[in-house]
Amino acid sequence: MKIAIGCDHAGFALKETVVQVLKEQKHTVIDCGTSSCERVDFPDFAFVAAQKVANHEADRAILICGSGVGMCIAANKVKGIYASVCHDAYSARQAVEHDNLNVLCLGARIIGPSLAEDLVKQFLSATFKTGTRHEERLQKIIAFENAHFK
């Protein structure tokens, strides 16, 4: 899979860990920044990574900031993006299977490298369950999105 990854200064150290995990699993990494711990604004990186997914240049994205919340809010402003903060394995898998999550947001000040590795593996190994009540619900979201966003 092609995975876009982005972070702000608070997520930089954890991003390095996640990139290593992605490469070990033979995923193609599209690094959308940042490249240091110097203070930056998270939306700048969230939008770039989310647009990679929306434009089909990446299959999924992983965004990291201090709490994961800021990245999640920014990413969800991009049409076609379904981002969520996940800090447990169940949510990282279930959000893909039931809600077609395509952007995983992590809080570097909340979780450590070991848990991040597990969440990334759960997120990337899960697939959306088509032909279920979950697909019907997703179609409602897509219809709203198409009617209200260009």
Side-chain angles (χ1 to χ4, degrees):
M1 258 193 264
K2 291 182 188 173
I3 309 300
I5 188 162
C7 70
D8 67 359
H9 53 284
F12 179 70
L14 188 58
K15 181 185 93 167
E16 295 298 297
T17 299
V18 171
V19 166
Q20 181 180 348
V21 169
L22 294 172
K23 289 181 177 179
E24 287 171 1
Q25 292 190 331
K26 308 293 187 221
H27 295 290
T28 301
V29 176
I30 303 169
D31 192 336
C32 300
T34 191
S35 57
S36 76
C37 292
E38 189 173 323
R39 194 198 74 76
V40 294
D41 295 328
F42 66 84
D44 299 337
F45 304 96
F47 295 144
V48 171
Q51 287 176 319
K52 296 280 185 198
V53 176
N55 295 335
H56 306 287
E57 297 170 47
D59 300 300
R60 295 186 188 171
I62 300 169
L63 299 173
I64 309 165
C65 64
S67 67
V69 174
M71 287 289 200
C72 183
I73 291 169
N76 277 311
K77 299 301 179 190
V78 177
K79 185 178 178 182
I81 294 304
Y82 308 108
S84 182
V85 177
C86 296
H87 290 149
D88 65 87
Y90 174 78
S91 297
R93 173 171 286 285
Q94 183 268 341
V96 175
E97 293 175 345
H98 292 193
D99 305 309
N100 205 25
L101 183 76
N102 55 14
V103 177
L104 174 66
C105 301
L106 303 174
R109 293 179 177 147
I110 298 171
I111 65 169
S114 180
L115 180 54
E117 180 177 347
D118 187 35
L119 299 178
V120 167
K121 289 178 180 177
Q122 293 294 324
F123 170 63
L124 296 178
S125 66
T127 56
F128 181 63
K129 294 183 177 180
T130 58
T132 66
R133 68 185 186 280
H134 307 295
E135 186 172 20
E136 294 171 15
R137 293 170 183 159
L138 179 63
Q139 290 306 318
K140 289 182 179 186
I141 295 169
I142 292 169
F144 181 89
E145 189 176 55
N146 288 335
H148 296 1
F149 299 100
K150 291 185 174 47

